[in-house]
């Protein structure tokens, strides 16, 4: 016996009470000082390295953090751009940032990284779409002083 496949419902046929979350496909959420400021589909270059002075020594040296890059995002807030403007004007505003990874359902938090004293180093805009209500971000690169995983 073959399984019958339910017909897909076109958006125009969906019930009036059905709410479609526009950010559900963006599994990374960016919190700045606890406030949700952006949603992204990729998080790359998250790196922490302990520098060893000499390979034979068993002493740990200083810790070096790589830059974190969030890609393919959207935001409804001007906060990300205003935050980057402060960096561009020579006085980066250091903030505590959290990057949350959500499950495929867009609701269940799977991982959390807390970046301390972070500031934006690079901003790349996505192609502009006059029909969209969000500000599209191709990539946002953050520098940070320390990281913890929650």
């Amino acid at each position: 016996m073959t399984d019958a496949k339910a017909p897909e419902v076109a958006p125009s046929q969906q019930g009036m009470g059905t709410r479609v979350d526009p950010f559900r496909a963006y599994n990374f959420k960016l919190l700045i000082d606890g406030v949700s400021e952006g949603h992204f589909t990729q998080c790359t270059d998250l790196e922490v390295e302990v520098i060893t002075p000499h390979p034979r020594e068993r002493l740990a040296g200083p810790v070096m953090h790589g830059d974190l890059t969030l890609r393919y995002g959207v935001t409804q807030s001007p906060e990300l751009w205003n935050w980057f403007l402060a960096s561009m004007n020579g006085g980066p505003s250091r903030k505590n940032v959290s990057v949350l990874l959500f499950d495929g359902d867009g609701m269940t938090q799977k991982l959390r990284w807390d970046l301390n004293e972070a500031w934006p180093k690079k901003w790349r805009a996505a192609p502009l779409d006059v029909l969209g209500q969000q500000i599209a971000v191709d990539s946002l690169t953050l520098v940070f002083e320390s990281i913890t995983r929650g």
Side-chain angles (χ1 to χ4, degrees):
M1 177 179 221
T2 61
D3 293 329
K5 193 173 182 182
E8 293 185 13
V9 178
S12 61
Q13 296 175 344
Q14 290 179 346
M16 292 299 286
T18 304
R19 181 178 178 271
V20 177
D21 186 354
F23 299 119
R24 189 173 180 176
Y26 295 84
N27 286 22
F28 291 97
K29 181 186 286 190
L30 177 65
L31 303 178
I32 300 175
D33 291 332
V35 178
S36 178
E37 296 292 356
H39 303 264
F40 295 83
T41 61
Q42 264 187 26
C43 176
T44 61
D45 305 324
L46 184 59
E47 179 180 55
V48 180
E49 180 181 356
V50 177
I51 307 298
T52 55
H54 190 274
R56 293 187 180 261
E57 293 181 25
R58 298 287 181 192
L59 302 173
V63 175
M64 188 168 87
H65 299 92
D67 302 339
L68 172 113
T69 301
L70 295 161
R71 289 195 166 90
Y72 315 119
V74 291
T75 181
Q76 291 181 317
S77 166
E79 179 60 27
L80 289 178
W81 178 250
N82 293 338
W83 189 31
F84 180 69
L85 281 178
S87 296
M88 231 171 48
N89 293 328
S93 176
R94 297 172 186 266
K95 299 185 181 220
N96 293 324
V97 170
S98 296
V99 177
L100 311 177
L101 170 62
F102 286 90
D103 202 353
D105 64 7
M107 305 290 288
T108 308
Q109 182 179 315
K110 300 300 279 184
L111 289 172
R112 176 188 185 113
W113 295 277
D114 295 315
L115 311 176
N116 301 307
E117 301 293 316
W119 55 274
K121 171 182 166 180
K122 183 176 179 181
W123 168 285
R124 179 178 294 152
L128 301 175
D129 180 359
V130 296
L131 298 177
Q133 297 295 319
Q134 297 88 17
I135 301 166
V137 179
D138 186 62
S139 66
L140 175 68
T141 301
L142 303 176
V143 177
F144 55 96
E145 295 295 321
S146 64
I147 185 172
T148 55
R149 183 172 158 196

